[in-house]
Amino acid sequence: DYWLSSPRWSPQGNAIYFIQEGDEGTSIRKIAVSPEDGKSSKASTPILEGRQIGADFALANDGKRLFYTQGPSYINIWQATLEDSEKGQKVDVKQLTTGTTVHQGPCFSPDGKFIAYNTAIGNSANIYVMPAGGGPPQQITFLNSWCTLPAWSPDGKEIAFFSNQGGSAKIWKVSAAGGQPHPFAKTKGASWPIWAPGHRILYRASQNNNLWFIDPVTEDEIPLFEKNPTSSPRWPRYSPDGKKIAAIWARESEKETGLWLISLDASSSVMLRKGRALPLGWSADGKWIYISEGSAAKFEVLAISSETGQSKPWLSLPPNSEMGQVMSLFCSTDNGTHFVFSARRSQPDIWVAENFDPEIK
């Protein structure tokens, strides 16, 4: 029922503070944790409520002061287009949504003509579709929940998405023209669906760290890995032929997180690049994977060879105060020419709270 983020240990190591977002608003909460076995014997309690708290906070080393951001923040969708000119390659940037709400999770349709995304209004978010390049949006879901992370079907006629409707996270699908959405009952605890160009929807199962395929017609499911991995490949992107995925993975046999190329028949897994390389999409011929390494100061895209792992610069956006901070996590591309992404613009202040936890003297 809630979004949970930014966990922070107490200095004593006997509790965890975290941010909780739900119907009642945003709060910082605390849950007691046993240092011996890591378990909790009681529910979390609110520490700081009734404020427009941002997405992060910090604790002083003695645990007596809490620092957090507070103030208005909104997210809009932008598009960057690579254009050839006499002086080389240039980037044209265009804002696609306006306003002071949250628009994120944009995803190109297979033919590149439309963009699906979600818009948050109040305590819910729903899926919208608009023409690529901007235009009047059409709302296609009307659920009283968080509906996010849209993913198009290969024929562009349906859209899969994540929703916590009814208090349980599942993958759903809906017609791209709108209509009655349909939940996949077996996908409880699911997140991050991808679909086109694959025939089956691929999603992450949080309860076992595996990736699962679900047939959108029969709803039959099979896992990607026969044995559940200790850590899950994250933010996968299908290759154009639908036979591989590029994903971030902290595989147990490696000491570092990296960009991995994983065959969908589980016959091979190869690390292409060390570090937190977030895959955004593929070139049409499958030879290049476009990645962002997530710099907050400057948004840059590299092209990584799917055969050798060698990289080359592809797109760079300098800081733009009007745009704000690009959110690499919510970015996709149609074969490397157009990039659609969410960018956050904030006007927060930094606050300090003292004596916020009566259990700390």
Side-chain angles (χ1 to χ4, degrees), residues 140-176:
I140 63 170
T141 68
F142 296 85
L143 300 177
N144 186 28
S145 63
W146 287 97
C147 302
T148 61
L149 305 172
W152 293 83
S153 64
D155 60 9
K157 294 181 179 181
E158 294 182 297
I159 295 173
F161 61 96
F162 159 91
S163 176
N164 63 348
Q165 179 81 3
S168 178
K170 295 185 181 73
I171 303 302
W172 294 56
K173 71 173 181 177
V174 66
S175 167

Short mmCIF file of all heavy atoms in Angstrom, two decimals, residues 140-176:
data_model
loop_
_atom_site.label_atom_id
_atom_site.label_comp_id
_atom_site.label_asym_id
_atom_site.label_seq_id
_atom_site.Cartn_x
_atom_site.Cartn_y
_atom_site.Cartn_z
N ILE A 140 -5.69 6.47 -20.23
CA ILE A 140 -6.22 5.15 -20.58
C ILE A 140 -6.48 4.25 -19.38
O ILE A 140 -7.06 3.18 -19.53
CB ILE A 140 -5.31 4.43 -21.61
CG1 ILE A 140 -3.93 4.16 -21.02
CG2 ILE A 140 -5.22 5.22 -22.90
CD1 ILE A 140 -3.10 3.25 -21.92
N THR A 141 -6.04 4.64 -18.18
CA THR A 141 -6.46 3.92 -16.97
C THR A 141 -7.06 4.92 -16.00
O THR A 141 -6.69 6.11 -15.99
CB THR A 141 -5.30 3.17 -16.28
OG1 THR A 141 -4.38 4.12 -15.73
CG2 THR A 141 -4.59 2.24 -17.25
N PHE A 142 -8.00 4.43 -15.18
CA PHE A 142 -8.70 5.29 -14.23
C PHE A 142 -8.81 4.57 -12.89
O PHE A 142 -9.87 4.56 -12.27
CB PHE A 142 -10.08 5.65 -14.78
CG PHE A 142 -10.05 6.46 -16.04
CD1 PHE A 142 -9.93 5.83 -17.27
CD2 PHE A 142 -10.13 7.85 -16.01
CE1 PHE A 142 -9.89 6.57 -18.45
CE2 PHE A 142 -10.10 8.59 -17.19
CZ PHE A 142 -9.97 7.96 -18.41
N LEU A 143 -7.71 3.98 -12.45
CA LEU A 143 -7.71 3.24 -11.20
C LEU A 143 -7.33 4.16 -10.04
O LEU A 143 -6.58 5.12 -10.20
CB LEU A 143 -6.72 2.07 -11.28
CG LEU A 143 -7.00 1.04 -12.37
CD1 LEU A 143 -5.91 -0.03 -12.38
CD2 LEU A 143 -8.37 0.40 -12.18
N ASN A 144 -7.81 3.83 -8.87
CA ASN A 144 -7.49 4.61 -7.67
C ASN A 144 -6.28 3.98 -6.97
O ASN A 144 -6.37 3.46 -5.86
CB ASN A 144 -8.70 4.63 -6.73
CG ASN A 144 -8.47 5.54 -5.53
OD1 ASN A 144 -7.72 6.52 -5.61
ND2 ASN A 144 -9.11 5.22 -4.41
N SER A 145 -5.15 4.01 -7.66
CA SER A 145 -3.93 3.37 -7.15
C SER A 145 -2.75 3.96 -7.91
O SER A 145 -2.89 4.87 -8.72
CB SER A 145 -4.00 1.85 -7.35
OG SER A 145 -4.06 1.54 -8.74
N TRP A 146 -1.57 3.40 -7.66
CA TRP A 146 -0.37 3.79 -8.40
C TRP A 146 -0.21 2.88 -9.61
O TRP A 146 0.09 1.70 -9.47
CB TRP A 146 0.86 3.71 -7.50
CG TRP A 146 0.89 4.81 -6.49
CD1 TRP A 146 0.48 4.75 -5.19
CD2 TRP A 146 1.33 6.16 -6.70
NE1 TRP A 146 0.63 5.97 -4.58
CE2 TRP A 146 1.16 6.85 -5.48
CE3 TRP A 146 1.85 6.84 -7.79
CZ2 TRP A 146 1.48 8.20 -5.32
CZ3 TRP A 146 2.18 8.18 -7.64
CH2 TRP A 146 2.00 8.84 -6.42
N CYS A 147 -0.45 3.42 -10.79
CA CYS A 147 -0.27 2.70 -12.06
C CYS A 147 0.93 3.33 -12.76
O CYS A 147 0.88 4.50 -13.15
CB CYS A 147 -1.51 2.81 -12.93
SG CYS A 147 -3.01 2.19 -12.16
N THR A 148 2.00 2.57 -12.91
CA THR A 148 3.25 3.14 -13.40
C THR A 148 3.95 2.16 -14.34
O THR A 148 3.51 1.04 -14.54
CB THR A 148 4.19 3.47 -12.23
OG1 THR A 148 4.50 2.27 -11.52
CG2 THR A 148 3.56 4.47 -11.27
N LEU A 149 5.07 2.62 -14.90
CA LEU A 149 6.00 1.81 -15.69
C LEU A 149 5.32 1.12 -16.88
O LEU A 149 5.35 -0.10 -17.03
CB LEU A 149 6.67 0.75 -14.80
CG LEU A 149 7.39 1.30 -13.57
CD1 LEU A 149 7.84 0.16 -12.67
CD2 LEU A 149 8.55 2.18 -13.97
N PRO A 150 4.70 1.89 -17.79
CA PRO A 150 4.04 1.28 -18.95
C PRO A 150 5.04 0.62 -19.90
O PRO A 150 6.17 1.09 -20.06
CB PRO A 150 3.34 2.46 -19.62
CG PRO A 150 4.15 3.66 -19.21
CD PRO A 150 4.61 3.36 -17.82
N ALA A 151 4.61 -0.49 -20.52
CA ALA A 151 5.43 -1.22 -21.49
C ALA A 151 4.52 -1.69 -22.62
O ALA A 151 3.51 -2.35 -22.38
CB ALA A 151 6.10 -2.42 -20.82
N TRP A 152 4.88 -1.36 -23.85
CA TRP A 152 4.03 -1.64 -25.01
C TRP A 152 4.13 -3.10 -25.44
O TRP A 152 5.18 -3.73 -25.33
CB TRP A 152 4.44 -0.76 -26.18
CG TRP A 152 4.17 0.70 -26.00
CD1 TRP A 152 4.95 1.60 -25.34
CD2 TRP A 152 3.06 1.44 -26.50
NE1 TRP A 152 4.40 2.85 -25.39
CE2 TRP A 152 3.23 2.79 -26.10
CE3 TRP A 152 1.93 1.09 -27.25
CZ2 TRP A 152 2.32 3.79 -26.43
CZ3 TRP A 152 1.02 2.10 -27.58
CH2 TRP A 152 1.21 3.43 -27.17
N SER A 153 3.03 -3.61 -26.01
CA SER A 153 3.05 -4.92 -26.66
C SER A 153 3.74 -4.79 -28.02
O SER A 153 3.86 -3.69 -28.56
CB SER A 153 1.62 -5.44 -26.84
OG SER A 153 0.88 -4.59 -27.72
N PRO A 154 4.20 -5.90 -28.61
CA PRO A 154 4.92 -5.83 -29.89
C PRO A 154 4.09 -5.20 -31.01
O PRO A 154 4.65 -4.52 -31.90
CB PRO A 154 5.25 -7.29 -30.20
CG PRO A 154 5.29 -7.95 -28.86
CD PRO A 154 4.23 -7.26 -28.05
N ASP A 155 2.76 -5.40 -31.00
CA ASP A 155 1.93 -4.81 -32.05
C ASP A 155 1.43 -3.42 -31.71
O ASP A 155 0.71 -2.79 -32.50
CB ASP A 155 0.74 -5.74 -32.38
CG ASP A 155 -0.16 -5.98 -31.17
OD1 ASP A 155 0.01 -5.32 -30.13
OD2 ASP A 155 -1.06 -6.84 -31.29
N GLY A 156 1.78 -2.91 -30.53
CA GLY A 156 1.39 -1.56 -30.14
C GLY A 156 -0.06 -1.42 -29.76
O GLY A 156 -0.55 -0.30 -29.55
N LYS A 157 -0.79 -2.53 -29.62
CA LYS A 157 -2.22 -2.45 -29.32
C LYS A 157 -2.54 -2.51 -27.83
O LYS A 157 -3.64 -2.16 -27.42
CB LYS A 157 -2.96 -3.59 -30.05
CG LYS A 157 -2.93 -3.46 -31.56
CD LYS A 157 -3.71 -4.60 -32.22
CE LYS A 157 -3.71 -4.45 -33.74
NZ LYS A 157 -4.48 -5.54 -34.41
N GLU A 158 -1.59 -2.98 -27.02
CA GLU A 158 -1.81 -3.09 -25.58
C GLU A 158 -0.62 -2.52 -24.82
O GLU A 158 0.48 -2.40 -25.37
CB GLU A 158 -2.04 -4.55 -25.18
CG GLU A 158 -3.32 -5.15 -25.74
CD GLU A 158 -3.51 -6.58 -25.28
OE1 GLU A 158 -2.66 -7.43 -25.64
OE2 GLU A 158 -4.49 -6.86 -24.56
N ILE A 159 -0.85 -2.22 -23.56
CA ILE A 159 0.19 -1.70 -22.69
C ILE A 159 0.15 -2.45 -21.36
O ILE A 159 -0.91 -2.56 -20.74
CB ILE A 159 0.02 -0.20 -22.44
CG1 ILE A 159 0.20 0.58 -23.75
CG2 ILE A 159 1.00 0.30 -21.39
CD1 ILE A 159 -0.12 2.06 -23.63
N ALA A 160 1.27 -3.02 -20.97
CA ALA A 160 1.40 -3.61 -19.64
C ALA A 160 1.88 -2.54 -18.68
O ALA A 160 2.57 -1.60 -19.07
CB ALA A 160 2.37 -4.79 -19.68
N PHE A 161 1.52 -2.68 -17.41
CA PHE A 161 1.97 -1.70 -16.42
C PHE A 161 1.92 -2.33 -15.03
O PHE A 161 1.34 -3.39 -14.82
CB PHE A 161 1.11 -0.43 -16.47
CG PHE A 161 -0.36 -0.64 -16.19
CD1 PHE A 161 -0.89 -0.44 -14.92
CD2 PHE A 161 -1.23 -1.03 -17.21
CE1 PHE A 161 -2.24 -0.64 -14.66
CE2 PHE A 161 -2.59 -1.22 -16.96
CZ PHE A 161 -3.09 -1.03 -15.69
N PHE A 162 2.54 -1.66 -14.09
CA PHE A 162 2.53 -2.06 -12.69
C PHE A 162 1.42 -1.30 -11.97
O PHE A 162 1.22 -0.10 -12.21
CB PHE A 162 3.89 -1.74 -12.06
CG PHE A 162 3.87 -1.63 -10.56
CD1 PHE A 162 4.11 -2.74 -9.76
CD2 PHE A 162 3.61 -0.41 -9.93
CE1 PHE A 162 4.09 -2.64 -8.38
CE2 PHE A 162 3.60 -0.30 -8.55
CZ PHE A 162 3.84 -1.43 -7.77
N SER A 163 0.71 -1.97 -11.06
CA SER A 163 -0.28 -1.29 -10.23
C SER A 163 -0.37 -1.98 -8.87
O SER A 163 -0.23 -3.20 -8.77
CB SER A 163 -1.66 -1.31 -10.89
OG SER A 163 -2.64 -0.73 -10.03
N ASN A 164 -0.62 -1.18 -7.84
CA ASN A 164 -0.87 -1.74 -6.51
C ASN A 164 -2.36 -1.66 -6.17
O ASN A 164 -2.74 -1.58 -5.01
CB ASN A 164 -0.03 -1.04 -5.45
CG ASN A 164 -0.36 0.45 -5.32
OD1 ASN A 164 -1.06 1.02 -6.15
ND2 ASN A 164 0.16 1.08 -4.29
N GLN A 165 -3.21 -1.66 -7.19
CA GLN A 165 -4.65 -1.65 -6.99
C GLN A 165 -5.07 -2.83 -6.10
O GLN A 165 -4.63 -3.97 -6.32
CB GLN A 165 -5.36 -1.76 -8.34
CG GLN A 165 -6.87 -1.79 -8.27
CD GLN A 165 -7.48 -0.41 -8.12
OE1 GLN A 165 -6.78 0.59 -8.12
NE2 GLN A 165 -8.79 -0.35 -7.98
N GLY A 166 -5.89 -2.57 -5.11
CA GLY A 166 -6.33 -3.62 -4.21
C GLY A 166 -5.33 -3.97 -3.13
O GLY A 166 -5.52 -4.93 -2.38
N GLY A 167 -4.24 -3.20 -3.03
CA GLY A 167 -3.27 -3.41 -1.98
C GLY A 167 -2.20 -4.43 -2.27
O GLY A 167 -1.41 -4.79 -1.40
N SER A 168 -2.14 -4.93 -3.52
CA SER A 168 -1.13 -5.91 -3.88
C SER A 168 -0.51 -5.53 -5.22
O SER A 168 -1.22 -5.25 -6.18
CB SER A 168 -1.76 -7.31 -3.98
OG SER A 168 -0.81 -8.27 -4.39
N ALA A 169 0.82 -5.52 -5.29
CA ALA A 169 1.53 -5.13 -6.51
C ALA A 169 1.43 -6.25 -7.54
O ALA A 169 1.83 -7.38 -7.28
CB ALA A 169 2.99 -4.84 -6.19
N LYS A 170 0.91 -5.92 -8.70
CA LYS A 170 0.78 -6.88 -9.79
C LYS A 170 1.07 -6.20 -11.12
O LYS A 170 1.10 -4.97 -11.22
CB LYS A 170 -0.63 -7.48 -9.84
CG LYS A 170 -1.06 -8.33 -8.66
CD LYS A 170 -2.42 -8.94 -8.93
CE LYS A 170 -2.92 -9.78 -7.76
NZ LYS A 170 -3.32 -8.92 -6.63
N ILE A 171 1.26 -7.04 -12.16
CA ILE A 171 1.33 -6.55 -13.53
C ILE A 171 -0.08 -6.61 -14.12
O ILE A 171 -0.81 -7.59 -13.93
CB ILE A 171 2.29 -7.41 -14.38
CG1 ILE A 171 3.69 -7.42 -13.74
CG2 ILE A 171 2.36 -6.86 -15.81
CD1 ILE A 171 4.33 -6.06 -13.55
N TRP A 172 -0.45 -5.54 -14.80
CA TRP A 172 -1.75 -5.43 -15.47
C TRP A 172 -1.52 -5.19 -16.96
O TRP A 172 -0.39 -4.90 -17.38
CB TRP A 172 -2.56 -4.26 -14.91
CG TRP A 172 -2.99 -4.39 -13.48
CD1 TRP A 172 -2.20 -4.60 -12.38
CD2 TRP A 172 -4.33 -4.27 -12.98
NE1 TRP A 172 -2.96 -4.63 -11.24
CE2 TRP A 172 -4.28 -4.42 -11.57
CE3 TRP A 172 -5.57 -4.03 -13.59
CZ2 TRP A 172 -5.41 -4.35 -10.77
CZ3 TRP A 172 -6.70 -3.96 -12.79
CH2 TRP A 172 -6.62 -4.12 -11.40
N LYS A 173 -2.59 -5.26 -17.75
CA LYS A 173 -2.53 -4.82 -19.14
C LYS A 173 -3.83 -4.10 -19.48
O LYS A 173 -4.87 -4.32 -18.85
CB LYS A 173 -2.30 -5.98 -20.10
CG LYS A 173 -3.48 -6.92 -20.28
CD LYS A 173 -3.21 -7.95 -21.38
CE LYS A 173 -4.43 -8.87 -21.56
NZ LYS A 173 -4.21 -9.85 -22.68
N VAL A 174 -3.75 -3.21 -20.48
CA VAL A 174 -4.90 -2.45 -20.91
C VAL A 174 -4.74 -2.14 -22.39
O VAL A 174 -3.60 -2.08 -22.90
CB VAL A 174 -5.04 -1.14 -20.09
CG1 VAL A 174 -3.88 -0.19 -20.38
CG2 VAL A 174 -6.36 -0.45 -20.35
N SER A 175 -5.83 -1.95 -23.09
CA SER A 175 -5.75 -1.56 -24.50
C SER A 175 -5.10 -0.18 -24.60
O SER A 175 -5.35 0.70 -23.77
CB SER A 175 -7.16 -1.50 -25.11
OG SER A 175 -7.14 -0.85 -26.37
N ALA A 176 -4.25 0.00 -25.61
CA ALA A 176 -3.59 1.29 -25.81
C ALA A 176 -4.59 2.39 -26.16
O ALA A 176 -4.26 3.58 -26.07
CB ALA A 176 -2.54 1.17 -26.92
#
